[in-house]
Amino acid sequence: MSFDGPAAESAVADQVSLVENAINRGVAGLVLAPSDPEALIPVVQRAYESGIPVVIIDSALGEGVEGAFQAFLVDRQLRAGEQVAKRMIDEAGTTGKVGIMSYVAGVGSEIGRVGCFTTYLQENSDLEIVGPLYSQSQMANALNQTTDMLASNPDLVRHLRGERTHGRRHGARDRAGGQGGPADRPGL
């Protein structure tokens, strides 16, 4: 058993190449968390045609590849996005501005979680959404973007950060010259 992955979640072409190489080596099976729901379809189809079982985890593939993988294991991205949106409305109310920081645009788990969060807010509140901004899963980017968002929007009532965004809101608020407040509260 071996583990291979691209250096960054945004390195989609590298992930495709890694899967192609695994197929060429004739691996016994693949467990794949697709970074891009569309870009990985051809190699998953090729693995299937080569008789290599594939299990997809975390992020869904796009349409048209059903049956080319044996299982899809995922946490509840859509439900999680909706639950966080409900909590945000409960704690922040239905008006004001909220900021969204996320990790990599186009990743299936991000699409599900942040997309459902955004949809729920739009359908159930008058909250204005700032962002999303994407850190490319880089801590320094996340911190800088969070600092900029908080400095440019001192009236944010809450700030959502994607699971893989590692920026710290407290430090960012301090660096932005803010006084703390609702945007600093943990959990959202």
Side-chain angles (χ1 to χ4, degrees):
M1 184 185 318
S2 65
F3 172 84
D4 291 314
E9 203 163 355
S10 58
V12 176
D14 292 348
Q15 187 179 36
V16 170
S17 293
L18 288 167
V19 174
E20 287 174 342
N21 291 339
I23 294 168
N24 292 338
R25 289 192 323 267
V27 297
L30 291 167
V31 177
L32 177 65
S35 291
D36 181 292
E38 302 300 324
L40 277 291
I41 289 175
V43 291
V44 168
Q45 187 65 41
R46 185 168 160 237
Y48 173 75
E49 291 166 359
S50 299
I52 298 171
V54 177
V55 173
I56 303 297
I57 60 171
D58 191 39
S59 299
L61 287 170
E63 295 182 19
V65 73
E66 296 82 11
F69 52 90
Q70 282 58 44
F72 177 42
L73 306 173
V74 66
D75 54 5
R76 297 182 175 168
Q77 303 294 345
L78 301 179
R79 186 167 182 222
E82 185 175 298
Q83 287 176 333
V84 171
K86 286 178 182 178
R87 181 174 170 199
M88 184 166 291
I89 290 170
D90 288 348
E91 292 189 15
T94 59
T95 60
K97 290 166 64 175
V98 298
I100 300 176
M101 296 295 305
S102 198
Y103 46 106
V104 178
V107 173
S109 58
E110 191 277 337
I111 292 169
R113 184 172 39 253
V114 174
C116 191
F117 170 85
T118 301
T119 299
Y120 189 89
L121 283 188
Q122 291 170 338
E123 292 174 352
N124 295 283
S125 76
D126 292 318
L127 288 163
E128 177 186 343
I129 298 171
V130 179
L133 300 179
Y134 299 97
S135 69
Q136 305 306 317
S137 294
Q138 301 297 315
M139 192 179 317
N141 289 350
L143 178 61
N144 290 336
Q145 290 172 333
T146 301
T147 300
D148 291 346
M149 180 183 282
L150 293 171
S152 300
N153 300 279
D155 54 341
L156 287 180
V157 294
R158 282 287 186 276
H159 180 233
L160 173 76
R161 62 183 178 90
E163 174 184 343
R164 293 179 183 97
T165 300
H166 302 290
R168 296 285 183 219
R169 292 168 288 161
H170 299 289
R173 173 66 85 173
D174 293 343
R175 286 178 189 81
Q179 301 301 311
D184 290 324
R185 292 188 55 196
L188 295 179

